[in-house]
Amino acid sequence: MTRASGLTEIGVRDALSASVFSSAAPCRRALVLGGSSEARLLATRIAADPRLQGVISLAGRTSAPLAHDLPTRIGGFNGVEGLTRYLLDERISHVVDATHPFAARISANARAACAAACAPLLVLTRPPWVMAPGDRWIEVVDNAAAARALGDSPRRVFLAIGRQGVADFRCAPQHDYVLRVIEPPNAGELPPRCEVIFGRGPFALNDEIALMRDRGIETVVTKNSGGALAYAKIEAARALGLEVVMIARPASGDAATTHDIDAAMAFLAS
Ligand code: NAP
């Protein structure tokens, strides 16, 4: 069901048609920009804190998003202006940007909208992965550079980048790809020889090793998302001696940042 402003209702607790905040509101009204495991953990903490009211916002990329312990709104805000209006209309007192580290546009919008609405902003994110002994990483700046780093000779490549950006590998059609996704990708965006497999993390190390062995993977391409939940593919590549093309995070701006849920809770209570 589609609502006004391009927003889509997909069946989770939804807060679009009316404010999620009770009129007898306590003083803190938190907006959590979600789409990450950290956002779900923070939602659970906020829901358990009687000083706080909160709403989670999701982009609406997945058709069956995991449930959160807070009311959930789904869909874009229509840019900086829309997000600013939302913050003012909902009298949001604090914003936590707990989006995925590669979701650069919404994070930039959050910085601009929070500045415009005078709402304090904290970025809650995972520390990036760092190379460990035995790792064979080629670090690149983006998908296009990752496709180039695969080289001219055909390889069997595990694309662990999600479905967004897979079209960037169409310019390297000499390789055989295995792409792991949560939602079906757009077939027109795939490189010519690309097996699509479905899965939502966390993944176990033994399963990752088996997947890479079964498919004869030679190179893993991944974003430097960080965190424990997606780390098994890095450990598996290390165990098998495989090369990893590691895509660096986009620039993150100058907002206050933490990796710590307790620090995010302290910010919300401030
Ligand atoms: P993006 O490029 O930064 O954002 C594109 C647009 O999507 C934004 O301008 C905004 O639309 C809307 N949007 C994004 N996150 C939103 C949120 N939490 N609530 C409401 N609207 C949101 O984002 P993306 O890379 O497409 O990622 C979309 C979502 O998937 C994010 O929430 C992110 O946490 C999650 N995710 C991303 C990745 C990744 O690798 N990029 C991986 C896992 C999860 P308007 O301008 O209309 O407001």
Side-chain angles (χ1 to χ4, degrees), residues 67-177:
H68 292 73
D69 290 334
L70 284 179
T72 305
R73 68 163 302 286
I74 295 176
F77 294 93
N78 290 324
V80 174
E81 195 181 327
L83 180 52
T84 305
R85 181 170 308 281
Y86 181 90
L87 298 179
L88 295 172
D89 288 352
E90 294 292 338
R91 290 182 290 126
I92 299 293
S93 64
H94 295 70
V95 178
V96 178
D97 174 6
T99 56
H100 188 274
F102 280 77
R105 192 159 9 133
I106 186 68
S107 294
N109 289 357
R111 291 193 293 276
C114 285
C118 295
L121 169 68
L122 181 70
V123 176
L124 172 63
T125 190
R126 324 158 190 175
W129 296 317
V130 292
M131 229 188 300
D135 282 337
R136 297 174 54 212
W137 290 9
I138 301 173
E139 295 182 275
V140 297
V141 294
D142 57 20
N143 284 354
R148 286 194 299 277
L150 293 173
D152 295 333
S153 308
R155 297 196 200 184
R156 292 194 58 80
V157 179
F158 180 29
L159 278 184
I161 58 167
R163 66 186 165 146
Q164 290 190 62
V166 66
D168 292 324
F169 292 85
R170 285 176 61 80
C171 65
Q174 66 274 32
H175 308 300
D176 287 279
Y177 296 95

